[in-house]
Amino acid sequence: MVELTGPGTVDFFWNNTPLSMELNLWNVERYRGTVSLKFDGEKLTFNGDIENLSAREPERYVLGYPEFYYGYKPWEKHMAEGTKLPVPVFSIKSFSVGLSFEIDHKSHLPLNFAMETWLTRKKYQTEASIGDVEIMVWFYFNELTPGGKKVGEYTISFELNGEKTRCSWELWHAEWNWDYLAFRLKDPVRKGRVRFDVRDFLDIAWEYLSRFTRVKNFDELYFTVWEVGTEFGSPETESARFEWVFKDFSIDMEVRE
């Protein structure tokens, strides 16, 4: 078993896939209570019951993102040994992700279930700036809105509980120090088993950003990481009680020679 009971990162293997899990409270100045991120060989669980919360940078809004990830995370300058990322976007023929999840939380807690990647101009960057892209995929949300503004809706297919479904996704865009894109499922799923191809979201992001000038040579950017977790909180959040269980995780990446 691998467990974290405070902010930090540890590497582990899940179905022979090298991963990193991070008890990520990146925007929490202080807190009181208990947090736990644990992998028992079959499932990854998070439990949090914390209060006296304060934000380090309230303008960044959310308080943290307890997660696990595959690949190289620029902000942490870390990767588990044996990962096959980063690779150029153009080389990704498909990047299929499968996961079973169940989210439970206090009724008025701002929270999402979101996955994301960072696309960077250099292979091993340690930050993001103009020309880099953050792409999020939100399957669930509660009293939380993506950054920026809504710029469109797209129909994207994925498997839900073993059945292929075509669903509407909102696209949100913000121009920060980097370009932020968030795909938010219009009918959120709090519990279920999903499988989808990240390539579908990359293609839409590429087409959308081609209208602007900040991001150049999208297909040559490096796809660095795939992160899975829950953003939570707001500048007004003083306590947070939530938990989740992730099971049956898989990644299948096919690259062009």
Side-chain angles (χ1 to χ4, degrees):
M1 184 178 73
V2 181
E3 183 175 16
L4 293 169
T5 56
T9 301
V10 65
D11 297 338
F12 66 107
F13 280 88
W14 196 350
N15 296 330
N16 297 318
T17 301
L19 301 166
S20 304
M21 66 182 192
E22 182 183 0
L23 213 171
N24 181 356
L25 305 181
W26 65 271
N27 198 24
V28 174
E29 181 68 30
R30 64 178 182 272
Y31 71 93
R32 185 175 67 198
T34 59
V35 288
S36 172
L37 185 59
K38 179 170 58 178
F39 178 68
D40 66 4
E42 295 184 356
K43 62 184 182 297
L44 185 67
T45 58
F46 172 82
N47 289 275
D49 187 354
I50 48 181
E51 57 186 12
N52 283 28
L53 283 163
S54 64
R56 182 175 290 126
E57 299 178 67
E59 69 277 7
R60 303 292 293 274
Y61 203 85
V62 300
L63 298 179
Y65 183 45
E67 61 169 315
F68 75 99
Y69 60 89
Y70 175 78
Y72 171 78
K73 184 177 176 181
W75 297 101
E76 205 182 4
K77 297 170 283 188
H78 181 82
M79 63 189 298
E81 185 176 353
T83 61
K84 296 180 181 179
L85 297 178
V87 297
V89 170
F90 70 77
S91 72
I92 299 175
K93 187 173 181 180
S94 66
F95 192 93
S96 177
V97 178
L99 183 71
S100 296
F101 63 93
E102 183 173 355
I103 315 292
D104 191 22
H105 58 84
K106 185 179 176 181
S107 59
H108 297 296
L109 177 67
L111 179 138
N112 64 18
F113 167 50
M115 311 188 202
E116 77 164 357
T117 186
W118 292 89
L119 308 182
T120 59
R121 288 159 295 158
K122 296 180 180 179
K123 193 171 186 178
Y124 295 111
Q125 288 182 201
T126 59
E127 60 182 3
S129 57
I130 292 177
D132 303 319
V133 183
E134 176 185 10
I135 299 177
M136 302 198 80
V137 177
W138 292 28
F139 277 94
Y140 176 73
F141 58 92
N142 180 72
E143 299 192 11
L144 192 62
T145 300
K149 63 180 181 180
K150 180 181 171 181
V151 295
E153 293 188 9
Y154 296 85
T155 299
I156 304 172
S157 298
F158 66 96
E159 286 186 17
L160 177 61
N161 298 324
E163 295 185 4
K164 188 171 183 178
T165 179
R166 289 172 56 83
C167 290
S168 294
W169 298 76
E170 301 169 344
L171 178 60
W172 293 68
H173 180 211
E175 291 184 337
W176 296 331
N177 290 339
W178 59 90
D179 275 75
Y180 164 95
L181 295 177
F183 293 88
R184 185 171 75 163
L185 187 61
K186 289 191 68 175
D187 296 315
V189 178
R190 187 166 174 168
K191 175 183 178 180
R193 186 174 72 256
V194 297
R195 175 170 291 279
F196 62 98
D197 192 344
V198 177
R199 182 77 246 185
D200 295 332
F201 296 92
L202 291 174
D203 289 344
I204 292 172
W206 187 353
E207 187 278 330
Y208 173 78
L209 289 174
S210 68
R211 310 171 195 176
F212 305 93
T213 59
R214 287 178 24 130
V215 178
K216 304 180 187 301
N217 301 320
F218 181 98
D219 61 329
E220 296 179 8
L221 297 176
Y222 284 94
F223 183 97
T224 62
V225 67
W226 192 250
E227 304 178 48
V228 184
T230 52
E231 294 181 304
F232 75 95
S234 73
E236 293 75 37
T237 299
E238 296 180 350
S239 64
R241 290 193 294 274
F242 65 108
E243 60 186 29
W244 45 253
V245 179
F246 296 159
K247 298 186 295 185
D248 307 319
F249 175 72
S250 66
I251 280 182
D252 296 299
M253 181 173 67
E254 184 178 358
V255 296
R256 296 181 174 89
E257 297 299 331

